[in-house]
Amino acid sequence: MKLSDSIQFVKGIGEARAKLFARLGIHTAGDLLFHLPRTLEDRTQTKPIAELMDGETVGVCASLAGGVKSYRSRGRLSVTQATVSDGENMMKVTWFNAPYVSKTLSSGSEFIFFGKASYKGSSFEMVNPVVEVFDGENKKTGRLLPVYPSTAGLSQTHIRNAAEKILDGLTELPKDILPSKLCDKMSFPPLYSALKELHLPKSAESFEAARQRLAFEEFFILQTGIHTLGEERKKFRAVPINDVKCIADFAKALPFELTNAQKRVINEISADLKKNSPMNRLVQGDVGSGKTMVAAAAMYAVAKSGYQATLMAPTEILAAQHYKNLKSLFEKFGFETVLLSGGMSAAEKRESLKKIKDGTAQIIVGTHALISDSVTFKNPALVITDEQHRFGVRQRTLLTEKGYGAHTLVMTATPIPRTLSLILYGDLDISVIDELPPGRKPIETYSVAEHTRQRLYKFITQKITEGRQVYIICPLIEESEALAAKSAVEYAEKLKKTSFKAFSVEVMHGKIKTVERKEIMERFARGEIDILVATTVVEVGVDVPNATVMVIENAERFGLSQLHQLRGRIGRGEHQSYCIMFSEGGKIADERMKIMCKTNDGFKISEKDLELRGPGEFFGVRQHGLPELKCANLASDMELLVRAKDGVRELLAADPNLEKPEHLALKNRVRERFAEVGENGILN
Ligand code: ADP
Ligand code: MG
């Protein structure tokens, strides 16, 4: 069998199963070989029944102590039941909808049952245990088993069997893309042994060693690609901004005193701006910590020195909001601010483009329209991206390239693991705004059940009467934006006709045209709308301090970080704010609700999020327009990452375009992986 053979050549895989594999992106034998398990399941432990503990998952070696009963329950489920004995004690075993176990149970005398032992009344019981004849050649029990990412209809056994057959039948070895010297230095096992160990693990230690080998490889590919993407940028020199002391004048003109944290971060940025090597800094600050003012201070110093400063936001609404605020702020100083975003008319765009090009505009705000080819800057010196996690790596790089050596600042409310920031930005500096403006009252957050709804509506009515405004976030519908929009509209209609007849209720969702969306947001900001029923389009950055109540429907469907982002829309002004979440429960959901009710601290929340979701899903690199990591763990593989980075640096120093024949396989793999996420032009 060859690596490129279709998996339908593997015994036991027919057309139907091949389709299931295809859903996981597995089409060839080679694909399956590189479909790697996430974890191990330890089935080596067996115990006598006398030593079992309630709730533990364990193997029991036992024989039948009587007949096997099979019947259909009233719910039409097929049930198979037996009592088994290990010679001293008995245990009950039950299977639902597994008629085939009768056959297994009639094909031997001694068996291993592996499952969760529960103590019921007077004896132990296992429901749906894995069972096989105990004959010294066990496949399913008594050993370590790999656990793969899978899809509905495709069992772990299917994947395990297929992987085993491929390992047996292959007549060629996969190409090792890591330089062999590096593998020696890292004491890695050869690629094929590592793959074999992952699919047929011998011990937890050797499995981990093999996993590290492949995790390192993933980091290596990722770093090589990113390095190539970012290469352009390094050639540029930045414009040194000599006068940063002038920021004091800016601060004096503000209606409030900057917080100490804001001052500290502005100082850190100022020190960077003075240099002629580009600033590469990330500003982390929880929602409402006042990142925009920090950005504005830097923009002020740049404009004052006669250069242009740009702020790029991920959505039209956010760009419009920044534009409005910065325009009125900078008018006082005689600077011109322009907006450039996709939703503008052709004439408006032309006007902005002209001012960007001839230098009339010093302060430039926009969406990713700013990275289109038609934009030419006169003398740019600073590029800021807000809520950076919404942008792909490529988009940011492009803006920086356009900025021609500009100082770069990225701002985010979502703390990202150090590993990920290293991957995304390289060795960037981090500033943290760890203080909220004074007078902010912590948001009171409650998780409530359906029966409190009428009471909540009364509360909302009272708050609106007091002059406040309300967000109601609709249930998250993942199937499609169109469905989500429909449900939001219906929901708003219902509220308009029933509980909130007396008020102005508007709806906001992703299907509404950008211009209209902006207009709705402006009316909401002016206080003309009492209740805004919205999908998650309001999630990022929107600032209406008078809105103090947020209701989140079906909160169990949202992740922690997203709930926190949503909640960040309130608690932005002088009045006490309230966040009320309706949740249908579930174990993880309950855990999330508890955390939301307990803390307003974004850093704590994101830590918890990482823990609850598992590193694979958390803030995946995929979201940033990079190939997904399958083996590497962003929470715990920091050291591997650092070593991979060093390795890549060394390799590219010797062979920048990977032109040496021994690097061809690596080059191809980097191209392949990045092509998967639409990055086709790298390493030509
Ligand atoms: P975020 O960090 O979420 O982007 P913003 O920059 O939108 O936060 O700021 C939130 C609100 O706090 C804005 O209305 C802003 O004007 C206000 N603000 C910022 N800094 C201060 C400060 N030092 N004192 C009082 N209010 C401030
Ligand atoms: Mg913001």
Side-chain angles (χ1 to χ4, degrees):
M1 195 187 321
K2 289 217 198 67
L3 288 162
S4 57
D5 283 349
S6 154
I7 47 161
Q8 279 199 55
F9 287 120
V10 179
K11 226 178 121 209
I13 300 184
E15 208 174 306
R17 196 159 295 161
K19 274 201 189 122
L20 293 175
F21 275 109
R23 261 197 237 159
L24 297 170
I26 301 169
H27 307 281
T28 65
D31 291 343
L32 189 59
L33 196 62
F34 281 91
H35 183 66
L36 302 173
R38 288 216 192 286
T39 51
L40 277 182
E41 184 173 330
D42 186 349
R43 292 192 187 167
T44 55
Q45 290 283 325
T46 57
K47 276 188 173 178
I49 294 169
E51 288 175 23
L52 294 182
M53 298 212 293
D54 190 24
E56 76 175 324
T57 300
V58 65
V60 168
C61 202
S63 314
L64 290 175
V68 176
K69 254 193 337 195
S70 291
Y71 59 92
R72 278 196 177 274
S73 74
R74 262 189 290 151
R76 305 302 298 154
L77 236 60
S78 103
V79 183
T80 311
Q81 252 172 356
T83 302
V84 301
S85 158
D86 64 359
E88 290 188 4
N89 292 287
M90 313 267 238
M91 177 174 82
K92 207 170 119 188
V93 283
T94 308
W95 290 269
F96 295 102
N97 273 348
Y100 47 85
V101 294
S102 307
K103 209 169 133 203
T104 312
L105 293 173
S106 64
S107 63
S109 60
E110 237 191 320
F111 308 91
I112 290 189
F113 301 91
F114 186 92
K116 186 168 155 193
S118 326
Y119 193 68
K120 287 280 152 66
S122 58
S123 65
F124 275 98
E125 179 184 299
M126 276 187 186
V127 176
N128 290 336
V130 174
V131 55
E132 71 183 336
V133 177
F134 181 57
D135 56 7
E137 282 199 21
N138 297 77
K139 287 206 151 193
K140 293 192 272 186
T141 59
R143 48 183 259 195
L144 295 168
L145 286 175
V147 182
Y148 297 90
S150 187
T151 178
L154 196 62
S155 73
Q156 292 293 326
T157 312
H158 292 147
I159 306 179
R160 284 173 196 143
N161 287 345
E164 202 171 329
K165 293 212 175 80
I166 289 169
L167 283 163
D168 271 350
L170 272 186
T171 51
E172 61 174 351
L173 292 182
K175 277 218 181 65
D176 199 339
I177 55 151
L178 288 179
S180 57
K181 254 200 269 163
L182 189 56
C183 283
D184 293 344
K185 202 162 103 189
M186 299 290 296
S187 321
F188 284 143
L191 177 61
Y192 184 75
S193 342
L195 288 169
K196 191 160 176 178
E197 176 60 31
L198 286 168
H199 292 295
L200 299 166
K202 287 200 212 66
S203 74
E205 293 73 39
S206 52
F207 180 86
E208 175 57 17
R211 188 197 66 81
Q212 291 201 8
R213 162 74 170 76
L214 281 130
F216 185 85
E217 181 169 313
E218 282 186 321
F219 281 145
F220 203 83
I221 290 169
L222 202 62
Q223 291 296 337
T224 308
I226 289 174
H227 201 91
T228 325
L229 280 174
E231 211 24 33
E232 285 306 296
R233 160 153 211 263
K234 297 225 173 57
K235 293 183 207 135
F236 300 126
R237 294 173 75 81
V239 183
I241 304 300
N242 293 319
D243 180 16
V244 288
K245 288 227 174 65
C246 64
I247 292 180
D249 306 331
F250 169 82
K252 255 185 249 139
L254 294 176
F256 44 70
E257 168 91 11
L258 291 168
T259 64
N260 286 327
Q262 282 172 318
K263 287 181 194 160
R264 191 187 65 240
V265 173
I266 290 172
N267 283 337
E268 287 164 357
I269 294 169
S270 305
D272 289 351
L273 286 175
K274 284 199 264 187
K275 298 182 188 154
N276 59 9
S277 58
M279 163 168 74
N280 190 23
R281 186 172 286 278
L282 173 72
V283 173
Q284 285 187 354
D286 206 351
V287 281
S289 62
K291 292 185 289 294
T292 318
M293 273 313 138
V294 169
M299 294 177 100
Y300 174 83
V302 168
K304 189 85 189 160
S305 288
Y307 295 98
Q308 290 172 308
T310 302
L311 174 62
M312 180 160 86
T315 65
E316 299 256 343
I317 292 180
L318 202 48
Q321 182 181 294
H322 280 320
Y323 170 66
K324 193 174 133 252
N325 292 339
L326 295 181
K327 188 174 154 65
S328 75
L329 183 63
F330 284 119
E331 247 158 19
K332 297 199 257 303
F333 301 106
F335 300 143
E336 176 143 6
T337 305
V338 296
L339 176 69
L340 187 74
S341 71
M344 291 163 52
S345 74
E348 288 169 326
K349 271 189 218 160
R350 226 177 299 125
E351 170 88 10
S352 289
L353 284 170
K354 186 174 153 287
K355 289 180 172 171
I356 297 172
K357 191 171 177 184
D358 67 18
T360 317
Q362 292 88 17
I363 307 289
I364 297 147
V365 181
T367 58
H368 35 261
L370 285 169
I371 51 183
S372 78
D373 285 337
S374 51
V375 186
T376 320
F377 293 95
K378 167 95 184 300
N379 53 359
L382 170 67
V383 168
I384 304 173
T385 41
D386 191 18
E387 307 292 352
Q388 55 74 36
H389 62 279
R390 294 296 180 106
F391 292 106
V393 168
R394 186 63 170 182
Q395 286 172 321
R396 256 188 315 104
T397 313
L398 279 172
L399 186 60
T400 313
E401 279 171 20
K402 276 201 166 294
Y404 192 72
H407 294 294
T408 314
L409 192 65
V410 289
M411 306 198 292
T412 180
T414 319
I416 53 179
R418 180 81 185 115
T419 36
L420 188 56
S421 83
L422 253 179
I423 292 174
L424 294 172
Y425 313 105
D427 301 311
L428 100 170
D429 303 301
I430 297 180
S431 292
V432 182
I433 311 182
D434 50 4
E435 183 186 355
L436 294 181
R440 289 281 160 79
K441 302 186 184 79
I443 300 167
E444 287 180 25
T445 303
Y446 304 93
S447 167
V448 299
E450 194 53 40
H451 65 83
T452 51
R453 191 175 285 277
Q454 287 316 316
R455 246 171 67 205
L456 170 67
Y457 285 178
K458 268 204 204 111
F459 177 75
I460 291 180
T461 305
Q462 183 199 330
K463 286 292 151 196
I464 298 177
T465 316
E466 287 169 19
R468 304 288 81 75
Q469 290 163 281
V470 179
Y471 292 105
I472 299 183
I473 307 301
C474 289
L476 185 68
I477 298 185
E478 303 209 321
E479 288 82 11
S480 80
E481 191 54 41
L483 269 179
K486 181 161 169 277
S487 112
V489 170
E490 282 169 6
Y491 189 49
E493 283 304 315
K494 200 179 91 195
L495 292 177
K496 257 190 244 182
K497 283 194 201 119
T498 54
S499 308
F500 301 117
K501 256 186 260 172
F503 303 121
S504 132
V505 181
E506 281 285 349
V507 59
M508 167 85 139
H509 54 72
K511 285 276 153 183
I512 294 179
K513 279 207 211 84
T514 316
V515 196
E516 280 169 52
R517 245 196 277 167
K518 251 189 297 193
E519 191 234 354
I520 294 173
M521 263 343 277
E522 278 159 20
R523 280 171 47 219
F524 189 61
R526 287 199 300 268
E528 294 166 17
I529 296 169
D530 300 314
I531 301 179
L532 190 64
V533 177
T535 59
T536 51
V537 293
V538 294
E539 175 187 344
V540 168
V542 171
D543 188 28
V544 181
N546 190 46
T548 59
V549 181
M550 173 173 282
V551 180
I552 305 178
E553 299 283 350
N554 287 103
E556 76 279 356
R557 302 206 190 160
F558 296 93
L560 257 185
S561 292
Q562 198 175 19
L563 286 172
H564 182 65
Q565 279 282 339
L566 282 168
R567 181 172 60 179
R569 297 315 106 223
I570 56 172
R572 304 176 80 87
E574 52 185 311
H575 301 284
Q576 176 63 49
S577 287
Y578 306 87
C579 174
I580 297 101
M581 306 178 293
F582 281 102
S583 165
E584 279 183 2
K587 201 163 147 242
I588 294 197
D590 287 347
E591 186 77 9
R592 284 191 205 129
M593 298 308 127
K594 230 169 64 199
I595 295 159
M596 286 294 292
C597 295
K598 218 166 65 189
T599 181
N600 276 300
D601 182 335
F603 285 74
K604 275 198 198 123
I605 286 174
S606 113
E607 239 167 53
K608 265 291 179 197
D609 202 17
L610 181 60
E611 203 180 299
L612 285 179
R613 285 204 207 197
E617 265 184 73
F618 178 81
F619 218 20
V621 288
R622 186 103 204 189
Q623 226 176 309
H624 296 81
L626 294 174
E628 204 170 350
L629 295 167
K630 292 181 179 144
C631 239
N633 182 325
L634 288 175
S636 58
D637 283 335
M638 183 67 176
E639 199 190 321
L640 279 181
L641 172 64
V642 171
R643 300 192 67 170
K645 264 181 98 73
D646 290 345
V648 167
R649 202 174 294 143
E650 222 168 277
L651 178 84
L652 291 178
D655 184 10
N657 285 314
L658 300 184
E659 276 153 353
K660 295 192 180 149
E662 66 266 34
H663 296 150
L664 187 66
L666 171 64
K667 185 174 186 167
N668 286 336
R669 186 80 79 73
V670 173
R671 276 191 191 149
E672 251 168 54
R673 291 305 315 270
F674 276 76
E676 283 165 24
V677 289
E679 289 293 352
N680 292 308
I682 72 176
L683 278 171
N684 285 315

